[in-house]
Amino acid sequence: MTTVITGASKGIGLELAKQLIAMNKNVISCARSDGFTFLDLERQSSIYALRDELLDTPINLLVCNAGVFLDKGESINSGYPSIKWEKTFSVNVTSVFLLIQCLLPNIIKAKGKIAIISSQMGSQSKANGGSYIYRASKAAVLNLGRNLASDLKKSGVAVGIYHPGWVKTDMGGEQADISAAESAKGLLKRFDSLSLAKTGCFENWNGKTHPL
Ligand SMILES: NC(=O)c1ccc[n+]([C@@H]2O[C@H](COP(=O)([O-])OP(=O)(O)OC[C@H]3O[C@@H](n4cnc5c(N)ncnc54)[C@H](OP(=O)(O)O)[C@@H]3O)[C@@H](O)[C@H]2O)c1
């Protein structure tokens, strides 16, 4: 059982990796920092290098967890510069597609699964305004996951999309609802229960179905 996790240097990704390792699972923890399998999601060449490194390695679970939230508190009058749109979409959306595309042969080989960490902020029915860039990126990756689920079903690959909760990490902040350990524990149960019957699901960390 091999799991590949992006954004494993801290926060939810680090906790997912720790908990899987504690269960004696084989984890390929990807990040930009020392001590991890190197992956810079803003660079296509880095994604291709990981593809080449993992050639022929069956992947049972790919967790697309890495993300950025760069537009907290931006003003609609003068904020939301295009550079933030570009960087956010590069990490939160484009790289998710490219990585899945590159590792698909490995995932199909294992009849594996793909978990995409989106957010409740990407939900169309919870459109509370603000943070337009982050919200649009998480809506896009939710849409991407649901369309991949349709296409990959015939290859035996299930795709789940998840809201990890409001989590105490650098991104979520100290005032958030739950710890990274709680979120990761819940998410791992969700990944376990993901099957072709449930492919395309959008679920909360605690197992509740999330409105699209
Ligand atoms: N925390 C929450 O309340 C919350 C709520 C909803 C959804 N989410 C989603 O959950 C996921 C994890 O969030 P988190 O709270 O754990 O955030 P975090 O603590 O800020 O960690 C984000 C991770 O993404 C990595 N990352 C960012 N840009 C990258 C790049 N260009 N290449 C490779 N890795 C990159 C970071 O690595 P570096 O250290 O190298 O930057 C870090 O490991 C994200 O997709 C986020 O949008 C979080």
Side-chain angles (χ1 to χ4, degrees):
M1 271 287 294
T2 296
T3 301
V4 174
I5 303 175
T6 68
S9 61
K10 62 182 184 179
I12 299 165
L14 179 62
E15 266 303 324
L16 287 168
K18 276 189 191 167
Q19 291 185 24
L20 284 169
I21 290 165
M23 292 180 232
N24 288 322
K25 307 278 189 199
N26 182 36
V27 182
I28 300 172
S29 297
C30 301
R32 295 183 285 189
S33 358
D34 288 346
F36 295 90
T37 297
F38 184 79
L39 181 61
D40 182 351
L41 292 163
E42 280 172 77
R43 296 205 337 246
Q44 192 169 325
S45 57
S46 178
I47 297 174
Y48 288 173
L50 182 69
R51 173 197 61 193
D52 295 346
E53 198 177 324
L54 296 184
L55 194 72
D56 293 334
T57 306
I59 296 172
N60 303 85
L61 176 65
L62 168 63
V63 186
C64 299
N65 161 77
V68 291
F69 185 169
L70 304 175
D71 60 330
K72 267 181 207 163
E74 289 277 346
S75 148
I76 195 165
N77 299 316
S78 54
Y80 301 103
S82 63
I83 184 74
K84 288 196 180 183
W85 284 94
E86 205 177 299
K87 188 176 159 100
T88 304
F89 270 72
S90 168
V91 178
N92 291 8
V93 187
T94 313
S95 80
V96 174
F97 179 77
L98 291 177
L99 187 64
I100 291 170
Q101 186 179 45
C102 281
L103 299 185
L104 200 51
N106 312 59
I107 299 167
I108 290 174
K109 196 171 193 171
K111 291 244 180 293
K113 310 180 195 184
I114 299 169
I116 296 175
I117 307 301
S118 175
S119 168
Q120 63 180 357
M121 290 177 74
S123 162
Q124 306 294 337
S125 44
K126 279 200 167 185
N128 300 327
S131 303
Y132 297 107
I133 305 175
Y134 182 74
R135 284 184 189 280
S137 74
K138 290 301 182 181
V141 87
L142 167 59
N143 180 277
L144 173 64
R146 287 179 58 80
N147 281 289
L148 283 169
S150 292
D151 279 340
L152 299 182
K153 200 170 186 176
K154 58 182 173 298
S155 305
V157 174
V159 183
I161 307 102
Y162 301 94
H163 169 56
W166 185 22
V167 189
K168 292 183 175 67
T169 61
D170 284 355
M171 186 185 291
E174 266 308 305
Q175 69 285 21
D177 289 334
I178 56 170
S179 67
E182 281 174 276
S183 173
K185 192 174 172 197
L187 286 170
L188 289 177
K189 284 192 194 149
R190 308 284 75 74
F191 305 162
D192 265 353
S193 74
L194 176 61
S195 65
L196 287 176
K198 280 180 70 172
T199 194
C201 64
F202 182 30
E203 286 184 344
N204 274 297
W205 67 284
N206 59 10
K208 287 197 180 136
T209 295
H210 200 291
L212 292 171

